[in-house]
Structure formats: C-alpha cells, structure tokens
C-alpha cells in the first residue's frame, strides 16, 4: 500500500464503517444529501454544473482509452437537445485487451484500498445524483463486508497425540472473476448502472461500461472520474472503460458472450435480459427486466391521502420508472372509504382530479413529469390512448404539455384506462405513462389476479390499500409467495415507486422481473472467489 493509498483508506474509513452499520441496521441513512440547496453543496455549484454540461456540447469527449478506432455520436436529450458529443469507439478486442492488462494491479490492491478508491470516486461525482451515489456506496459496503467476512490469514494446528501437532499457515485472498460488463439503460443511466459498476470495482474486477446510445454522457462523465481517480492512486485507468457503440453495432451482445467477460449487469427489456441469461453462460448475469406492478385497492381510511399518493406515483417521471404502478386492481362493486362508498367510476374521476392537482400549472407539471424518453414510449402511449378512446374506456385522458424552456421536449400527462380481469393488456408491461384501472370480481379476486400476473410476468413493486387486517395478511402472503416487495397503505410522503438505499431492497430476485436485488450479499458475492494458499510451519 502506497502512502497515498494509506491516506485514502484513512480518509474514508469512517464513512465505510457508517455504511457497513447502515446495511446491517436497515434504518434511514444517506451519505449524500439530496437537497440541491447551495447551503449543502456550496454557492454557485448549480451554475458550475450547468456550465460544465454545456462545455461538453458539440465536442469530443476524449478519455485516452487505448485502441480507439474512431468516434461515435448521435445522442439527443429527451428534452430535444442534440448534444453533438462524440465518444471514442473501441472494438471488443481492444476493450478486452486493455481491461485484461489492467486487472493484476487492481486485484492486488485488496478490499480496503479498493473500497477507499471507490469512495473517493463517489465523492467527486456530482452528476450521478445523490440516490445513485447512495446505491453505489451500498454496493461497496456489501462488497467489503463479503470480502472481509473471515480472516486474511490463519494458523491451522491439528493435535497429533504424543507427536508434534500438524501446523500450517494459510492465506485467503479474494480474487475477482475477471472483466465485468455493465449494460446501461436510457431512463436512469446512473442509478441503474452504479450498483453493478461499483460492486464489480470493489471486488477487484475491471469494468467495461456499455452505455445506452440514448444516454451516453452521464456514464461517460462517470467513467472519466473513475479513470482520473484510478490514475491518481497508482492504478491503471483501464480498470474502467467506456464502450459506446456505433449505430446498429450491437456491441453489448458481442461483448456479453466473449469468454473473457465473467460478469454482466443489465437493466432493460425482458427480451434482451432473457437473451443474456440464456447465452452469456460463461458469466454471472444480473438482470433487472420488465414486470407488471400492481396496486390492490380494497378499502381505505384516508381516501384523499390514497389518491394523492397514487397520483404522484403515476405522474413522477411520466411513469418511466421500473417501479411505477401499472395495474390498479379494484373490486367491480367499489370500495369503502372514510368519504363513503366509492364505485369504480367515482374512483376514476377522483383519481383524475388528484392527478390534475398534483401536476398543477403546466410550468410546474413539467418538473414532475419530465420528458418522454424516446419514440417507443410515446408510441405505446399513443396506441393505448387510441385503443381506449375507440372502445370508450378512457378513465383519465393523457394530454401534451408544452415545456417553457425546451420547446422540443415531449411531455405527456398519465393515461388511465378502464379494464377488466380478462383484458390482455394488463398482463404485460406497458412502460411509460399508461396505467389500467382493473375491475375484478371482488377483493379476493384481486389477490388471485395479483398472484397470476406477478407469478407469470414478475413485478418490482406491489401495493395494497385496506383497513381489513385479514385482507392485508392475505396480500402479504401472496407477495411472499410470488416474491414481490409490498407497500401497505401509503398515504404520506413515501411512494411505491421509490426505494431507499441502505434500507429498501430494490427488486427481490425472486420473480421473473429481476434475478438480483439492489443490494444484498448475493449481488456481490458471486463477483469474486476466495483462493487459498497454505504452507507447513515448524512443529
């Protein structure tokens, strides 16, 4: 360990200890304040960040990666801004060659130094977003805990009666699997990439980051910071590499099946996630795919609070979250509330009013809705709206909103469609601002439908509203059976599509929507193996 590395370990020791305590306690803890206030991050920080972003526009983003064979570009912001940023392109051989050469030194650093380097990287990242950084730190903490679960060395002594004991000295070294591939997504490029990226770095692997073509810049900035810190601390910067692809190249599929790739992290479509699980047999594959998130509404003692909570969950980021509710399951004969009995039609009207109240004036609405990320999401929304309109099944209509600062941004309010338990659209994910108000035969029928859909298609979240403890227990049992995280009677400032690092496990790995969880021991333990050496000691 060099003096600089020793200094870095000392600098971050307290935060490592705090993160280790947090993953054990599961209470609230955050290392990175989410408030953007200048009192937290300093005067002028927001302006400096905007200037730094604008400085990239229309420029080449040079990382100095070896073996580059050209430049790729074409990235456009969901807000309609053509970034004009171009990135170094490397083929699979160049990426794997550079990563392979960088591995030995990073492996030799050991868990303590690697954790400290990772924390230094996180401290320097601002564009990653505080929740992404917390998820990254959580992964580092789990990685450190798993690698240091037992002693590094031990003296083994076996009594031999009257003869001298057998004595051996044993050394146990956490050894990374090799090269990891992180395949980024377009909607939350840092939040979804950071757990895998930092879990692999902390366990000693080199990492190739293959960003989504529509969201390269956030991960390019991340990789640039990673490489900068690696260089400063005496490591080969090619421990981390950016792998943007040319149009139609399919670089993720090429890399994923290379024998040198030993770990794959992926967030995105079920089709490609299933393909990775089936074809990348040489690697440990961690996937978060699509699911059908459901809310079971049986009764409530806070009708206004329930509506406000559901409305915010549907509005946030235009429903472009893997945790957004899609199917709202309601008994066909309505629900009992503190404001009297409500039939399905009344519930639909009141939910529409709550959505309008949540989004408020258009200038405010765009801050909650964000922008539609791509043509695929917009196409699904338009198609669902056309079908529902033609069938007279629109419960809450969607409408476009003009963005005052970004006229090319495509902003839409949520669409809610009336459906029945037999409607085919409720059994598959419709990613984006589309939800279904599903009339079921009764409260028990909602539980049966939840079991069927979540069991077959998977889900990342589920929610229930009821004042009946027996019904809550039945839904709880169903959620355990189908392996879905459950929220009960959310009426305040916590929403079903939000999860808190160090406390909530994002996804469970126990249903078809995901085979891993952010973050638990299983998410990190398969990224390394413990290799021992042993030698005799004098008796």
């Amino acid at each position: 360990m060099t003096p600089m590395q020793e200094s870095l370990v000392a600098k971050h020791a307290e935060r490592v200890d705090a993160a280790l305590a947090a993953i054990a306690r599961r209470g609230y803890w955050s290392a990175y304040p989410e408030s953007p206030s200048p009192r937290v991050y300093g005067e002028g920080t927001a302006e400096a960040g905007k200037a730094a972003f604008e400085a990239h526009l229309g420029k080449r983003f040079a990382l100095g990666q070896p073996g580059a064979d050209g430049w790729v570009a074409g990235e456009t912001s969901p807000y309609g801004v053509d970034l004009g940023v171009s990135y170094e392109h490397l083929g699979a051989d160049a990426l794997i060659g550079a990563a392979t050469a960088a591995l030995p030194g990073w492996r030799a650093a050991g868990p303590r130094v690697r954790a400290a380097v990772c924390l230094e990287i996180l401290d320097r990242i601002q564009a990653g977003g505080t929740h992404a950084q917390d998820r990254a730190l959580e992964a580092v903490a789990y990685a450190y805990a798993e690698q240091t679960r037992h002693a590094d060395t031990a003296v083994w002594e076996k009594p031999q009666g009257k003869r001298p004991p057998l004595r051996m000295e044993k050394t146990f070294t956490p050894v990374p699997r090799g090269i990891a591939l992180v395949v980024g997504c377009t909607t939350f490029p840092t939040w979804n990439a950071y757990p895998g990226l930092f879990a692999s770095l902390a366990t000693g692997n080199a990492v190739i980051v293959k960003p989504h073509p529509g969201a390269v810049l956030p991960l390019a900035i991340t990789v640039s910071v990673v490489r900068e810190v690696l260089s400063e601390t005496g490591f080969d910067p090619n421990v981390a590499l950016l792998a943007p692809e040319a149009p139609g190249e399919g670089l993720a599929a090429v890399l994923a099946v290379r024998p040198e790739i030993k770990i794959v992290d992926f967030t995105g479509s079920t089709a490609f996630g299933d393909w990775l699980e089936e074809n990348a047999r040489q690697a440990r594959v961690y996937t978060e795919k699509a699911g059908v998130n459901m809310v079971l509404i049986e009764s409530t003692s806070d009708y206004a609070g329930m509506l406000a909570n559901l409305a915010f969950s549907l509005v946030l980021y235009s429903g472009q979250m893997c945790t957004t509710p899609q199917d709202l399951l309601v008994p066909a004969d309505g629900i009992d509330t503190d404001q009297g009995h409500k039939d399905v039609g009344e519930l639909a009207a009141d939910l529409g009013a709550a959505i309008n109240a949540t989004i408020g004036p258009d200038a405010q609405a765009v801050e909650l809705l964000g922008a539609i990320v791509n043509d695929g999401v917009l196409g699904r929304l338009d198609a669902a709206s056309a079908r529902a309109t033609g069938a007279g099944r629109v419960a809450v209509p969607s409408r476009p909103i003009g963005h005052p600062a970004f006229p090319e941004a495509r902003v839409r309010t949520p669409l809610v469609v009336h459906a029945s338990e037999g409607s085919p659209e409720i059994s598959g994910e419709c990613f984006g601002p589309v939800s279904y108000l599903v009339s079921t035969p009764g409260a028990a029928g909602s539980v049966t439908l939840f079991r069927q859909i979540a069991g077959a298609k998977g889900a990342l979240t589920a929610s229930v509203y009821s004042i009946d403890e027996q019904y809550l227990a039945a839904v709880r049992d169903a959620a355990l059976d189908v392996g879905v995280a459950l929220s009960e009677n959310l009426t305040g400032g916590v929403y079903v599509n939000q999860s808190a690092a160090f406390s909530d496990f994002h996804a469970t790995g126990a249903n078809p929507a995901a085979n891993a969880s952010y973050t638990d021991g299983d998410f990190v333990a398969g990224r390394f193996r413990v290799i021992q050496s042993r030698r005799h000691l004098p008796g």
Side-chain angles (χ1 to χ4, degrees):
M1 191 184 302
T2 68
M4 175 178 284
Q5 292 166 4
E6 288 180 352
S7 175
L8 208 61
V9 168
K11 174 183 176 181
H12 295 292
E14 184 176 345
R15 180 163 287 181
V16 170
D17 289 343
L20 289 169
I23 63 173
R25 288 195 310 264
R26 311 307 301 179
Y28 171 77
W29 185 74
S30 174
Y32 304 99
E34 63 184 357
S35 170
S37 168
R39 292 190 298 273
V40 177
Y41 288 102
E43 293 291 340
T45 303
E47 293 78 8
K50 184 173 184 290
F53 163 71
E54 291 174 344
H56 289 300
L57 301 182
K59 307 273 180 46
R60 286 184 168 182
F61 197 109
L63 290 171
Q65 300 180 146
D69 55 19
W71 298 83
V72 293
E75 187 179 12
T76 299
S77 163
Y79 289 88
V81 179
D82 184 359
L83 301 188
V85 183
S86 55
Y87 306 91
E88 297 164 345
H89 179 271
L90 284 77
D93 288 340
L95 289 162
I96 289 171
T100 300
L103 260 172
W106 186 236
R107 179 184 68 194
R112 292 177 64 212
V113 171
R114 289 196 296 262
V117 171
C118 286
L119 265 66
E120 182 66 19
I121 294 166
L122 290 173
D123 275 3
R124 296 192 193 182
I125 291 175
Q126 294 296 321
T130 57
H131 296 156
Q133 289 164 283
D134 271 340
R135 280 296 185 195
L137 178 55
E138 180 183 51
V140 173
Y142 270 99
Y144 184 82
E146 291 296 329
Q147 291 175 100
T148 59
R149 182 176 295 280
H150 49 69
D152 294 332
T153 62
V155 173
W156 180 86
E157 186 170 304
K158 181 180 180 181
Q160 295 290 298
K162 295 181 179 180
R163 292 174 294 164
L166 293 174
R167 300 182 73 242
M168 301 195 78
E169 182 183 50
K170 302 183 180 184
T171 301
F172 309 101
T173 303
V175 176
R177 289 180 62 89
I179 303 174
L181 171 66
V182 174
V183 182
C185 67
T186 183
T187 45
F188 291 88
T190 56
W191 196 95
N192 283 107
Y194 279 14
L197 168 61
F198 282 90
S200 285
L201 286 175
T203 49
N205 300 279
V207 184
I208 298 171
V209 178
K210 209 298 293 181
H212 189 283
V216 182
L217 185 57
L219 289 177
I221 294 171
T222 298
V223 171
S224 72
V225 175
V226 175
R227 291 172 63 84
E228 175 184 83
V229 174
L230 286 166
S231 294
E232 289 179 8
T233 50
F235 298 103
D236 188 330
N238 296 321
V239 165
L241 295 154
L242 186 73
E245 62 184 349
E249 181 179 7
L251 185 56
V254 173
L255 286 168
V257 296
R258 286 287 295 256
E260 302 92 341
I261 299 295
K262 300 301 182 183
I263 301 166
V264 178
D265 287 278
F266 169 75
T267 299
S269 71
T270 296
F272 192 57
D274 287 347
W275 185 90
L276 287 170
E277 291 172 4
E278 179 64 27
N279 291 279
R281 297 292 185 90
Q282 83 292 347
R284 280 292 300 265
V285 178
Y286 302 88
T287 60
E288 182 191 305
K289 301 174 290 188
V292 181
N293 303 319
M294 284 164 277
V295 181
L296 292 79
I297 306 174
E298 187 270 341
S299 58
T300 180
S301 60
D302 185 0
Y303 187 59
M306 179 190 78
L307 289 171
N309 194 280
L310 286 174
F312 187 86
S313 296
L314 298 179
V315 165
L316 191 61
Y317 303 125
S318 299
Q320 297 170 113
M321 303 176 71
C322 59
T323 49
T324 299
Q326 176 177 299
D327 293 352
L328 313 180
L329 310 183
V330 185
D333 58 359
I335 62 171
D336 290 329
T337 81
D338 58 318
Q339 297 184 25
H341 188 81
K342 302 290 182 178
D343 62 31
V344 175
E346 290 174 303
L347 176 59
D350 293 341
L351 180 59
I355 288 173
N356 288 333
T358 297
I359 62 177
D362 286 1
Q364 170 187 310
V366 297
E367 302 300 327
L368 291 174
L369 290 163
I372 299 297
V373 72
N374 58 35
D375 291 340
V377 174
L378 188 62
R380 284 191 293 273
L381 169 61
D382 288 344
S385 181
R387 287 193 301 269
T389 300
R393 295 194 291 120
V394 174
V396 180
S398 174
R399 65 181 179 90
I401 293 179
H403 198 297
F406 300 98
E408 299 302 316
R410 297 175 296 186
V411 183
R412 300 289 190 276
T413 64
L415 170 71
V416 182
V417 177
H418 283 293
S420 68
E421 63 172 341
S423 302
E425 60 264 38
I426 70 172
S427 297
E429 184 190 46
C430 186
F431 185 78
V434 180
S435 295
Y436 298 96
L437 190 60
V438 183
S439 297
T440 68
S446 295
V447 179
T448 300
L449 191 59
F450 169 58
R451 284 181 177 275
Q452 290 173 348
I453 296 177
K457 301 294 185 178
L460 292 171
T461 63
S463 180
V464 60
Y465 289 91
S466 179
I467 60 175
D468 184 339
E469 287 298 330
Q470 289 186 332
Y471 188 75
L472 290 173
V475 176
R476 212 173 290 135
D477 284 345
L480 293 174
D481 287 343
V482 296
V484 179
L486 179 68
S487 298
E488 302 177 13
N489 291 321
L490 297 183
T491 56
V494 174
Y495 305 92
V496 67
N497 42 351
Q498 297 174 320
S499 65
F502 303 103
S503 185
D504 295 322
F505 294 101
H506 174 74
T508 65
N511 69 70
N515 70 2
S517 176
Y518 299 163
T519 300
D520 58 12
D522 181 69
F523 186 69
V524 299
R527 297 172 191 264
F528 70 96
R529 286 291 182 262
V530 177
I531 309 299
Q532 75 170 38
S533 62
R534 58 184 182 173
R535 66 209 60 83
H536 281 292
L537 288 173

